[in-house]
Amino acid sequence: MPAAKPLSIRYTNRLTQVGIEPSVGSVGDSYDNALAESVIGLYKTELIHKRAPWRDLDQVEYATLEYVDWFNHRRLLEPIGHIPPTEREANYHQQHTPAQVAGVT
């Protein structure tokens, strides 16, 4: 009996069968997961564990919405000039036409 393939390989094969291109890096490339895991780690540290215990799921959902709003609109990032991410994105789009952003010349 042949050995079972790992779930990640079966998943990738199934995506290929139905014509879906995965949105992750190449084999052995952990960069996509590293960013997601870092953001999830911040979320857990800065919100979930800090404000526990939670009364119910509604309380977690509302707090998550507040956290995401703060994370994107009010959090100041040193690497981008001590401005919020949404401000940096708006500045970028003001300086580039839609064709430049899409890579069309």
Side-chain angles (χ1 to χ4, degrees):
M1 180 162 146
K5 292 182 182 177
L7 179 60
S8 61
I9 293 173
R10 293 194 321 262
Y11 176 71
T12 301
N13 289 342
R14 181 64 182 134
L15 291 177
T16 302
Q17 288 173 354
V18 296
I20 298 172
E21 186 173 330
S23 65
V24 296
S26 58
V27 174
D29 178 353
S30 63
Y31 299 118
D32 292 338
N33 286 343
L35 175 60
E37 289 174 9
S38 293
V39 171
I40 291 168
L42 284 172
Y43 167 73
K44 287 179 166 181
T45 300
E46 295 175 346
L47 179 72
I48 297 300
H49 298 305
K50 186 182 265 185
R51 291 175 53 184
W54 297 92
R55 285 190 315 265
D56 54 34
L57 184 58
D58 287 341
Q59 186 185 29
V60 175
E61 288 178 353
Y62 187 74
T64 298
L65 291 173
E66 289 176 334
Y67 180 79
V68 169
D69 178 67
W70 167 82
F71 195 86
N72 291 322
H73 298 278
R74 293 187 301 283
R75 173 180 59 121
L76 305 179
L77 261 69
E78 181 180 350
I80 61 173
H82 297 281
I83 60 174
T86 52
E87 185 176 331
R88 172 72 169 131
E89 183 178 6
N91 293 343
Y92 176 85
H93 287 290
Q94 285 178 347
Q95 296 170 6
H96 297 83
T97 66
Q100 289 172 319
V101 172
V104 178
T105 54

XYZ file of all heavy atoms in Angstrom:
842
model
N 0.848 -1.175 0.000
C 0.000 0.000 0.000
C 0.898 1.243 0.000
O 1.771 1.382 0.843
C -0.881 -0.031 1.252
C -1.805 1.125 1.377
S -3.078 0.641 2.560
C -3.397 2.139 3.334
N 0.677 2.190 -0.953
C 1.518 3.386 -1.012
C 1.271 4.294 0.194
O 0.184 4.319 0.766
C 1.099 4.073 -2.314
C -0.219 3.489 -2.690
C -0.325 2.152 -2.013
N 2.311 5.034 0.560
C 2.192 5.966 1.694
C 1.236 7.097 1.337
O 1.169 7.539 0.189
C 3.568 6.533 2.037
N 0.491 7.552 2.323
C -0.445 8.646 2.103
C 0.332 9.952 1.891
O 1.349 10.184 2.533
C -1.371 8.789 3.307
N -0.151 10.778 0.971
C 0.478 12.076 0.731
C 0.079 13.033 1.841
O -1.053 12.986 2.343
C 0.022 12.648 -0.607
C 0.527 11.889 -1.796
C 0.057 12.551 -3.073
C 0.515 11.769 -4.284
N 0.018 12.367 -5.522
N 0.993 13.928 2.213
C 0.636 14.940 3.217
C -0.550 15.772 2.742
O -0.760 15.954 1.536
C 1.896 15.793 3.329
C 3.006 14.948 2.801
C 2.375 14.033 1.783
N -1.299 16.295 3.676
C -2.485 17.083 3.368
C -2.156 18.267 2.463
O -2.908 18.573 1.542
C -3.139 17.578 4.666
C -4.387 18.440 4.492
C -5.474 17.669 3.749
C -4.906 18.896 5.837
N -1.021 18.935 2.693
C -0.686 20.099 1.878
C -0.527 19.730 0.407
O -0.938 20.487 -0.485
C 0.591 20.766 2.387
O 1.672 19.861 2.317
N 0.034 18.548 0.133
C 0.193 18.111 -1.258
C -1.155 17.743 -1.855
O -1.464 18.108 -2.992
C 1.193 16.930 -1.344
C 2.588 17.430 -0.966
C 1.181 16.303 -2.733
C 3.625 16.337 -0.842
N -1.981 17.040 -1.104
C -3.327 16.690 -1.588
C -4.139 17.950 -1.870
O -4.842 18.033 -2.872
C -4.044 15.789 -0.577
C -3.401 14.410 -0.433
C -4.263 13.392 0.301
N -5.011 13.875 1.427
C -4.642 13.757 2.707
N -3.505 13.162 3.016
N -5.399 14.211 3.668
N -4.021 18.935 -0.992
C -4.740 20.200 -1.157
C -4.277 20.905 -2.434
O -5.096 21.344 -3.249
C -4.504 21.086 0.067
C -5.123 22.452 -0.014
C -6.499 22.633 0.060
C -4.325 23.577 -0.150
C -7.068 23.886 -0.009
C -4.886 24.846 -0.219
C -6.255 24.994 -0.147
O -6.808 26.240 -0.217
N -2.964 20.998 -2.638
C -2.419 21.651 -3.830
C -2.853 20.912 -5.089
O -3.240 21.540 -6.084
C -0.878 21.709 -3.748
O -0.518 22.438 -2.576
C -0.282 22.386 -4.967
N -2.826 19.593 -5.056
C -3.267 18.804 -6.211
C -4.741 19.048 -6.520
O -5.125 19.170 -7.682
C -3.018 17.315 -5.978
C -1.550 16.950 -6.014
O -0.725 17.710 -6.522
N -1.213 15.794 -5.475
N -5.551 19.145 -5.486
C -6.989 19.383 -5.691
C -7.231 20.767 -6.289
O -8.069 20.926 -7.174
C -7.746 19.223 -4.369
C -9.234 19.428 -4.491
C -9.885 18.366 -5.381
N -11.295 18.634 -5.500
C -11.977 18.606 -6.629
N -11.397 18.244 -7.755
N -13.250 18.885 -6.654
N -6.506 21.769 -5.825
C -6.637 23.096 -6.404
C -6.314 23.073 -7.893
O -7.016 23.676 -8.706
C -5.710 24.094 -5.686
C -6.063 24.461 -4.249
C -4.993 25.387 -3.674
C -7.428 25.103 -4.153
N -5.253 22.358 -8.254
C -4.851 22.245 -9.658
C -5.941 21.557 -10.474
O -6.261 21.994 -11.585
C -3.521 21.469 -9.768
O -2.529 22.150 -9.011
C -3.070 21.358 -11.219
N -6.534 20.508 -9.916
C -7.588 19.766 -10.627
C -8.766 20.660 -10.985
O -9.365 20.501 -12.033
C -8.090 18.601 -9.777
C -7.136 17.453 -9.652
C -7.641 16.419 -8.644
O -8.646 16.607 -7.968
N -6.910 15.306 -8.549
N -9.116 21.589 -10.117
C -10.284 22.440 -10.361
C -9.901 23.802 -10.954
O -10.733 24.688 -11.080
C -11.142 22.620 -9.087
C -11.725 21.288 -8.647
C -10.368 23.265 -7.966
N -8.618 23.955 -11.302
C -8.194 25.164 -11.992
C -7.981 26.378 -11.121
O -8.108 27.510 -11.582
N -7.665 26.169 -9.858
C -7.435 27.275 -8.936
C -5.942 27.381 -8.659
O -5.294 26.386 -8.353
C -8.197 27.080 -7.616
C -9.701 27.047 -7.868
C -7.835 28.175 -6.607
C -10.514 26.678 -6.639
N -5.416 28.593 -8.783
C -4.004 28.810 -8.482
C -3.867 29.237 -7.024
O -4.482 30.212 -6.601
C -3.433 29.892 -9.395
C -1.940 30.067 -9.249
C -1.373 31.015 -10.276
O -1.920 31.109 -11.383
O -0.375 31.668 -9.943
N -3.074 28.514 -6.234
C -2.924 28.881 -4.822
C -2.235 30.231 -4.671
O -1.450 30.636 -5.521
C -2.074 27.755 -4.241
C -1.422 27.096 -5.398
C -2.263 27.365 -6.604
N -2.552 30.927 -3.600
C -1.985 32.254 -3.368
C -0.835 32.207 -2.371
O -0.618 33.146 -1.631
C -3.075 33.195 -2.853
O -3.525 32.756 -1.592
N -0.122 31.117 -2.339
C 1.024 30.977 -1.437
C 2.296 30.833 -2.261
O 2.242 30.649 -3.472
C 0.866 29.773 -0.480
C -0.294 29.969 0.445
C 0.708 28.487 -1.266
N 3.423 30.917 -1.597
C 4.706 30.847 -2.276
C 5.010 29.469 -2.832
O 4.189 28.562 -2.823
N 6.225 29.319 -3.293
C 6.666 28.060 -3.871
C 6.923 27.022 -2.779
O 6.921 27.341 -1.589
C 7.935 28.296 -4.687
O 8.934 28.853 -3.852
N 7.185 25.804 -3.196
C 7.444 24.715 -2.252
C 8.640 25.086 -1.373
O 9.669 25.536 -1.863
C 7.721 23.402 -3.005
C 8.136 22.308 -2.033
C 6.490 22.981 -3.792
N 8.483 24.911 -0.092
C 9.549 25.228 0.849
C 9.664 26.697 1.187
O 10.560 27.110 1.916
N 8.760 27.512 0.661
C 8.789 28.959 0.880
C 7.824 29.298 2.007
O 6.617 29.196 1.859
C 8.371 29.658 -0.412
C 8.327 31.158 -0.301
O 8.499 31.700 0.808
O 8.113 31.804 -1.326
N 8.351 29.709 3.144
C 7.493 29.956 4.306
C 7.181 31.438 4.507
O 6.601 31.823 5.502
C 8.178 29.420 5.569
O 9.383 30.130 5.791
N 7.564 32.287 3.566
C 7.412 33.725 3.766
C 5.953 34.152 3.920
O 5.638 35.004 4.726
C 8.077 34.502 2.633
C 9.559 34.237 2.555
C 10.110 33.650 1.433
C 10.394 34.536 3.628
C 11.473 33.396 1.371
C 11.746 34.283 3.573
C 12.282 33.712 2.443
O 13.611 33.453 2.379
N 5.043 33.572 3.130
C 3.628 33.944 3.238
C 3.097 33.637 4.631
O 2.422 34.440 5.236
C 2.785 33.202 2.200
C 3.081 33.654 0.782
O 3.594 34.770 0.618
O 2.802 32.892 -0.149
N 3.407 32.453 5.136
C 2.932 32.062 6.456
C 3.554 32.907 7.554
O 2.917 33.195 8.561
C 3.223 30.584 6.715
C 2.297 29.682 5.941
O 1.258 30.101 5.449
N 2.690 28.438 5.799
N 4.805 33.301 7.388
C 5.483 34.076 8.425
C 4.771 35.392 8.677
O 4.579 35.787 9.827
C 6.942 34.320 8.028
N 4.356 36.079 7.635
C 3.644 37.342 7.810
C 2.310 37.117 8.509
O 1.972 37.810 9.474
C 3.420 38.040 6.472
C 2.582 39.319 6.541
C 3.236 40.360 7.455
C 2.358 39.883 5.154
N 1.557 36.136 8.044
C 0.257 35.849 8.658
C 0.423 35.471 10.124
O -0.335 35.942 10.983
C -0.446 34.724 7.895
N 1.406 34.638 10.412
C 1.619 34.217 11.795
C 2.054 35.383 12.673
O 1.677 35.465 13.843
C 2.635 33.080 11.842
C 2.072 31.781 11.286
C 3.102 30.680 11.178
O 4.226 30.846 11.691
O 2.775 29.641 10.585
N 2.818 36.318 12.126
C 3.225 37.496 12.893
C 2.026 38.370 13.246
O 1.893 38.836 14.374
C 4.236 38.333 12.097
O 5.434 37.630 11.947
N 1.151 38.584 12.261
C -0.037 39.415 12.497
C -0.965 38.729 13.494
O -1.489 39.374 14.408
C -0.762 39.731 11.166
C -2.096 40.406 11.422
C 0.115 40.602 10.286
N -1.155 37.432 13.341
C -2.002 36.695 14.282
C -1.401 36.740 15.688
O -2.117 36.898 16.677
C -2.221 35.248 13.803
C -3.098 35.250 12.552
C -2.844 34.387 14.899
C -3.158 33.924 11.827
N -0.088 36.616 15.782
C 0.581 36.696 17.079
C 0.366 38.050 17.746
O 0.106 38.125 18.953
N 0.482 39.127 16.959
C 0.221 40.466 17.505
C -1.215 40.581 18.000
O -1.476 41.103 19.083
C 0.472 41.535 16.433
C 1.902 41.868 16.113
C 1.975 42.799 14.899
C 2.596 42.497 17.301
N -2.148 40.116 17.186
C -3.571 40.163 17.529
C -3.837 39.433 18.852
O -4.506 39.959 19.745
C -4.373 39.541 16.386
C -5.810 39.218 16.683
C -6.760 40.218 16.808
C -6.226 37.896 16.801
C -8.091 39.912 17.053
C -7.545 37.578 17.049
C -8.472 38.593 17.174
O -9.792 38.287 17.428
N -3.279 38.250 18.986
C -3.486 37.487 20.215
C -2.850 38.181 21.418
O -3.453 38.254 22.491
C -2.908 36.077 20.066
C -3.716 35.170 19.180
C -3.021 33.825 19.087
C -3.892 32.773 18.506
N -3.194 31.469 18.448
N -1.619 38.673 21.247
C -0.904 39.309 22.348
C -1.537 40.634 22.742
O -1.748 40.910 23.923
C 0.570 39.546 21.958
O 1.166 38.284 21.677
C 1.330 40.235 23.075
N -1.833 41.469 21.736
C -2.301 42.829 22.009
C -3.785 42.916 22.347
O -4.215 43.892 22.945
C -2.003 43.727 20.806
C -0.522 43.906 20.563
C -0.217 44.698 19.310
O -1.116 44.902 18.468
O 0.949 45.121 19.163
N -4.563 41.903 21.966
C -6.002 41.984 22.211
C -6.531 40.774 22.968
O -7.027 40.921 24.085
C -6.761 42.148 20.886
C -8.275 42.212 21.033
C -8.700 43.544 21.650
C -8.956 42.000 19.704
N -6.427 39.622 22.382
C -7.102 38.437 22.924
C -6.628 38.106 24.339
O -7.433 37.994 25.265
C -6.935 37.237 21.974
C -7.600 37.523 20.616
C -7.484 35.966 22.598
C -9.095 37.804 20.680
N -5.325 37.949 24.525
C -4.818 37.578 25.856
C -4.891 38.744 26.841
O -5.172 38.532 28.025
C -3.384 37.065 25.761
C -3.247 35.835 24.918
N -3.973 34.682 25.140
C -2.472 35.578 23.839
C -3.652 33.773 24.243
N -2.747 34.293 23.433
N -4.667 39.950 26.347
C -4.650 41.121 27.228
C -6.027 41.401 27.840
O -6.127 41.816 28.988
C -4.177 42.348 26.440
C -3.982 43.585 27.293
C -3.561 44.765 26.437
C -2.065 44.869 26.448
N -1.571 46.065 25.742
N -7.095 41.165 27.071
C -8.434 41.514 27.556
C -9.253 40.316 28.020
O -10.424 40.462 28.360
C -9.178 42.295 26.471
C -8.527 43.666 26.299
C -9.074 44.518 25.197
N -10.493 44.734 25.204
C -11.131 45.410 24.246
N -10.457 45.923 23.240
N -12.428 45.570 24.283
N -8.659 39.153 28.038
C -9.372 37.953 28.496
C -9.659 38.072 29.992
O -8.963 38.795 30.694
C -8.535 36.720 28.211
N -10.650 37.416 30.515
C -11.558 36.488 29.850
C -12.679 37.224 29.107
O -13.089 38.322 29.497
C -12.127 35.654 30.998
C -12.110 36.571 32.171
C -10.905 37.472 31.965
N -13.165 36.612 28.040
C -14.225 37.181 27.213
C -15.568 36.623 27.661
O -15.683 35.453 28.001
C -13.968 36.821 25.754
C -12.682 37.415 25.267
C -11.449 36.827 25.285
C -12.487 38.723 24.742
N -10.509 37.687 24.783
C -11.112 38.862 24.437
C -13.330 39.794 24.494
C -10.572 40.011 23.886
C -12.797 40.945 23.934
C -11.434 41.056 23.650
N -16.597 37.461 27.645
C -17.943 37.033 28.052
C -18.582 36.136 27.003
O -19.207 35.132 27.322
C -18.854 38.242 28.277
C -18.590 39.009 29.545
C -19.678 40.054 29.819
N -20.042 40.834 28.652
C -19.522 42.030 28.334
N -18.623 42.572 29.110
N -19.919 42.670 27.242
N -18.458 36.561 25.728
C -19.104 35.804 24.651
C -18.460 36.156 23.317
O -17.606 37.034 23.237
C -20.617 36.091 24.611
C -20.949 37.579 24.521
O -20.186 38.333 23.884
O -21.971 37.990 25.090
N -18.893 35.465 22.279
C -18.336 35.662 20.952
C -18.602 37.074 20.427
O -17.747 37.660 19.765
C -18.901 34.617 19.982
C -18.338 34.624 18.568
C -16.823 34.435 18.579
C -19.002 33.552 17.732
N -19.756 37.627 20.722
C -20.058 38.994 20.274
C -19.034 39.993 20.795
O -18.615 40.905 20.078
C -21.461 39.422 20.722
C -22.563 38.737 19.936
O -22.279 38.222 18.832
O -23.705 38.715 20.429
N -18.618 39.832 22.032
C -17.624 40.730 22.622
C -16.287 40.609 21.877
O -15.632 41.613 21.590
C -17.440 40.415 24.108
C -16.527 41.405 24.808
C -16.260 41.028 26.251
O -16.282 39.856 26.613
N -15.982 42.026 27.073
N -15.899 39.393 21.535
C -14.651 39.172 20.786
C -14.764 39.789 19.393
O -13.835 40.446 18.919
C -14.317 37.668 20.684
C -13.099 37.437 19.794
C -14.096 37.070 22.053
N -15.893 39.592 18.736
C -16.077 40.135 17.388
C -16.009 41.663 17.384
O -15.355 42.261 16.526
C -17.401 39.656 16.790
C -17.385 38.192 16.412
C -18.710 37.704 15.876
O -19.717 38.455 15.911
O -18.756 36.558 15.401
N -16.674 42.299 18.315
C -16.667 43.764 18.375
C -15.263 44.280 18.690
O -14.780 45.226 18.069
C -17.672 44.262 19.421
C -17.826 45.755 19.397
C -18.527 46.386 18.372
C -17.245 46.539 20.385
C -18.647 47.764 18.335
C -17.364 47.917 20.361
C -18.067 48.527 19.337
O -18.175 49.887 19.299
N -14.583 43.645 19.613
C -13.214 44.052 19.954
C -12.277 43.844 18.766
O -11.374 44.654 18.532
C -12.723 43.259 21.171
N -12.507 42.788 18.002
C -11.687 42.528 16.819
C -11.881 43.629 15.780
O -10.917 44.102 15.175
C -12.012 41.144 16.221
O -11.695 40.144 17.193
C -11.231 40.892 14.944
N -13.124 44.050 15.575
C -13.383 45.151 14.638
C -12.663 46.426 15.077
O -12.060 47.126 14.258
C -14.888 45.410 14.519
C -15.699 44.336 13.816
C -17.190 44.634 13.923
C -15.272 44.198 12.367
N -12.714 46.724 16.359
C -12.006 47.900 16.876
C -10.499 47.763 16.673
O -9.827 48.724 16.301
C -12.297 48.089 18.363
C -13.697 48.538 18.656
C -13.973 48.626 20.153
O -13.301 47.904 20.943
O -14.843 49.417 20.533
N -9.960 46.571 16.908
C -8.526 46.325 16.768
C -8.083 46.485 15.311
O -7.069 47.119 15.026
C -8.177 44.917 17.276
C -6.716 44.587 17.157
C -5.790 45.059 18.076
C -6.248 43.796 16.109
C -4.438 44.757 17.971
C -4.898 43.490 15.994
C -4.004 43.974 16.928
O -2.665 43.676 16.800
N -8.845 45.931 14.388
C -8.497 46.036 12.970
C -8.546 47.496 12.524
O -7.675 47.959 11.778
C -9.415 45.149 12.102
C -9.246 45.442 10.614
C -9.150 43.675 12.396
N -9.539 48.241 12.997
C -9.609 49.666 12.664
C -8.371 50.391 13.191
O -7.733 51.155 12.460
C -10.882 50.284 13.250
C -10.975 51.766 12.968
O -11.133 52.132 11.788
O -10.855 52.562 13.927
N -8.004 50.154 14.436
C -6.808 50.774 15.005
C -5.561 50.341 14.231
O -4.721 51.167 13.883
C -6.656 50.381 16.484
C -5.315 50.727 17.029
C -4.899 51.939 17.484
C -4.177 49.852 17.137
N -3.582 51.877 17.875
C -3.118 50.610 17.674
C -3.966 48.519 16.838
C -1.863 50.058 17.909
C -2.707 47.977 17.064
C -1.678 48.749 17.601
N -5.448 49.041 13.943
C -4.270 48.476 13.282
C -4.031 49.128 11.923
O -2.897 49.393 11.536
C -4.473 46.970 13.113
C -3.234 46.192 12.778
C -2.401 45.739 13.783
C -2.904 45.900 11.461
C -1.254 45.008 13.488
C -1.757 45.170 11.156
C -0.933 44.718 12.177
N -5.102 49.422 11.190
C -4.980 49.974 9.841
C -5.025 51.499 9.781
O -4.390 52.091 8.919
C -6.077 49.414 8.940
C -5.880 47.949 8.655
O -4.773 47.489 8.477
N -6.967 47.203 8.633
N -5.780 52.141 10.676
C -6.047 53.577 10.549
C -5.348 54.471 11.566
O -5.204 55.671 11.321
C -7.556 53.834 10.621
C -8.313 53.177 9.518
N -8.429 53.716 8.264
C -8.970 51.989 9.483
C -9.144 52.910 7.500
N -9.477 51.850 8.221
N -4.946 53.941 12.698
C -4.365 54.806 13.742
C -2.991 54.368 14.236
O -2.274 55.166 14.824
C -5.338 54.917 14.915
C -6.609 55.673 14.541
C -7.518 55.938 15.722
N -7.962 54.741 16.416
C -8.919 53.921 15.991
N -9.520 54.151 14.856
N -9.277 52.876 16.698
N -2.621 53.137 13.993
C -1.313 52.625 14.435
C -0.221 53.317 13.628
O -0.255 53.358 12.404
C -1.273 51.117 14.209
C 0.045 50.453 14.462
C -0.081 48.966 14.203
N -0.510 48.715 12.835
C 0.178 48.009 11.944
N 1.322 47.457 12.286
N -0.276 47.821 10.729
N 0.775 53.874 14.303
C 1.870 54.574 13.633
C 3.041 53.619 13.439
O 3.556 53.054 14.408
C 2.298 55.789 14.448
C 1.185 56.787 14.786
C 1.740 57.931 15.609
C 0.503 57.289 13.528
N 3.454 53.459 12.192
C 4.550 52.543 11.869
C 5.829 53.327 11.604
O 5.880 54.170 10.710
C 4.209 51.735 10.623
C 3.693 50.325 10.885
C 2.331 50.355 11.501
C 3.725 49.516 9.645
N 6.850 53.036 12.377
C 8.144 53.700 12.215
C 8.738 53.489 10.816
O 9.200 54.452 10.201
C 9.118 53.205 13.284
C 10.477 53.863 13.208
C 11.425 53.344 14.279
O 10.998 52.622 15.197
O 12.612 53.675 14.171
N 8.722 52.253 10.254
C 9.375 52.040 8.958
C 8.767 52.838 7.806
O 9.404 53.022 6.782
C 9.225 50.545 8.701
C 8.952 49.938 10.033
C 8.248 50.999 10.828
N 7.540 53.301 7.955
C 6.910 54.058 6.862
C 6.726 55.532 7.236
O 5.908 56.226 6.644
C 5.573 53.423 6.416
C 4.557 53.383 7.548
C 5.808 52.044 5.836
C 3.160 52.918 7.124
N 7.482 56.009 8.200
C 7.462 57.425 8.534
C 6.529 57.817 9.666
O 6.042 58.942 9.706
N 6.272 56.891 10.574
C 5.396 57.157 11.728
C 3.998 57.614 11.295
O 3.438 58.560 11.845
C 6.026 58.186 12.669
C 7.310 57.722 13.273
N 7.350 56.858 14.343
C 8.594 57.966 12.933
C 8.610 56.603 14.644
N 9.388 57.263 13.806
N 3.464 56.937 10.278
C 2.097 57.193 9.813
C 1.345 55.864 9.780
O 1.959 54.799 9.739
C 2.071 57.868 8.423
C 2.747 56.986 7.362
C 2.694 59.256 8.475
C 2.631 57.515 5.937
N 0.011 55.919 9.774
C -0.778 54.679 9.699
C -0.668 54.037 8.312
O -0.443 54.724 7.309
C -2.213 55.140 9.948
C -2.114 56.506 10.516
C -0.830 57.089 10.012
N -0.854 52.723 8.232
C -0.784 52.027 6.941
C -1.740 52.591 5.883
O -1.372 52.693 4.715
C -1.148 50.581 7.290
C -0.747 50.435 8.725
C -1.013 51.778 9.340
N -2.953 52.953 6.274
C -3.901 53.476 5.280
C -3.443 54.820 4.717
O -3.692 55.117 3.552
C -5.320 53.618 5.856
O -5.265 54.356 7.075
C -5.953 52.264 6.105
N -2.760 55.621 5.522
C -2.240 56.889 5.024
C -1.129 56.640 4.011
O -1.045 57.291 2.966
C -1.728 57.752 6.176
C -1.291 59.133 5.752
C -0.880 60.010 6.937
O -1.403 59.806 8.052
O -0.035 60.893 6.721
N -0.262 55.676 4.303
C 0.813 55.312 3.373
C 0.235 54.817 2.057
O 0.701 55.162 0.977
C 1.702 54.241 4.008
C 2.720 53.661 3.090
C 3.830 54.659 2.794
N 4.906 53.967 2.122
C 5.470 54.397 1.019
N 5.107 55.540 0.496
N 6.427 53.717 0.456
N -0.796 54.000 2.135
C -1.424 53.485 0.919
C -2.049 54.614 0.109
O -1.905 54.677 -1.116
C -2.482 52.437 1.265
C -3.124 51.815 0.051
C -4.147 50.748 0.383
O -4.464 50.557 1.569
O -4.627 50.104 -0.557
N -2.741 55.536 0.782
C -3.350 56.674 0.085
C -2.276 57.523 -0.595
O -2.455 57.957 -1.739
C -4.167 57.513 1.061
N -1.162 57.762 0.094
C -0.061 58.525 -0.495
C 0.479 57.830 -1.743
O 0.763 58.478 -2.751
C 1.078 58.712 0.513
C 0.693 59.600 1.668
O -0.289 60.332 1.612
N 1.463 59.530 2.741
N 0.608 56.523 -1.667
C 1.097 55.753 -2.810
C 0.168 55.934 -4.010
O 0.616 56.197 -5.129
C 1.210 54.275 -2.438
C 1.623 53.403 -3.599
C 2.967 53.242 -3.922
C 0.669 52.759 -4.383
C 3.355 52.451 -4.997
C 1.052 51.970 -5.459
C 2.383 51.828 -5.763
O 2.755 51.052 -6.829
N -1.123 55.798 -3.801
C -2.079 55.890 -4.905
C -2.170 57.310 -5.464
O -2.477 57.483 -6.641
C -3.445 55.361 -4.477
C -3.459 53.868 -4.353
N -3.377 53.013 -5.433
C -3.509 53.064 -3.266
C -3.386 51.766 -5.027
N -3.468 51.765 -3.717
N -1.904 58.311 -4.654
C -1.883 59.689 -5.157
C -0.696 59.913 -6.083
O -0.754 60.739 -6.988
C -1.818 60.691 -4.002
C -3.120 60.862 -3.271
C -2.989 61.834 -2.093
O -1.895 62.186 -1.686
N -4.119 62.247 -1.550
N 0.395 59.185 -5.861
C 1.617 59.373 -6.638
C 1.689 58.466 -7.866
O 2.581 58.630 -8.691
C 2.845 59.117 -5.750
C 2.966 60.099 -4.621
C 4.046 59.692 -3.622
O 4.777 58.740 -3.842
N 4.141 60.414 -2.526
N 0.786 57.513 -7.995
C 0.832 56.562 -9.096
C -0.520 56.489 -9.796
O -1.553 56.498 -9.128
C 1.220 55.170 -8.597
C 2.576 55.102 -7.992
N 2.808 55.445 -6.686
C 3.776 54.774 -8.519
C 4.100 55.315 -6.423
N 4.714 54.915 -7.510
N -0.493 56.390 -11.117
C -1.746 56.204 -11.855
C -2.162 54.747 -11.733
O -1.331 53.876 -11.454
C -1.552 56.548 -13.347
O -0.656 55.596 -13.927
C -1.017 57.959 -13.532
N -3.430 54.435 -11.973
C -3.862 53.027 -11.907
C -3.060 52.125 -12.840
O -2.748 50.997 -12.492
C -5.327 53.091 -12.319
C -5.760 54.460 -11.905
C -4.554 55.337 -12.166
N -2.667 52.608 -14.020
C -1.878 51.787 -14.941
C -0.510 51.471 -14.351
O -0.007 50.357 -14.491
C -1.720 52.507 -16.275
N 0.107 52.433 -13.657
C 1.412 52.187 -13.033
C 1.285 51.139 -11.932
O 2.146 50.272 -11.785
C 1.994 53.472 -12.446
C 2.456 54.472 -13.477
C 2.838 55.787 -12.817
O 2.162 56.262 -11.899
N 3.911 56.388 -13.288
N 0.228 51.241 -11.152
C 0.023 50.303 -10.049
C -0.160 48.888 -10.600
O 0.349 47.920 -10.067
C -1.199 50.713 -9.190
C -1.520 49.644 -8.165
C -0.925 52.045 -8.517
N -0.886 48.759 -11.714
C -1.152 47.444 -12.320
C 0.033 46.934 -13.131
O 0.025 45.804 -13.606
C -2.396 47.518 -13.200
N 1.067 47.766 -13.325
C 2.225 47.349 -14.096
C 2.039 47.492 -15.597
O 2.768 46.922 -16.383
N 1.036 48.265 -16.024
C 0.776 48.482 -17.430
C 1.460 49.771 -17.867
O 1.362 50.785 -17.201
C -0.754 48.598 -17.698
C -1.029 48.870 -19.155
C -1.461 47.353 -17.221
N 2.165 49.704 -18.991
C 2.837 50.925 -19.472
C 2.192 51.434 -20.737
O 1.495 50.773 -21.418
C 4.335 50.657 -19.743
O 4.469 49.561 -20.628
C 5.052 50.384 -18.440
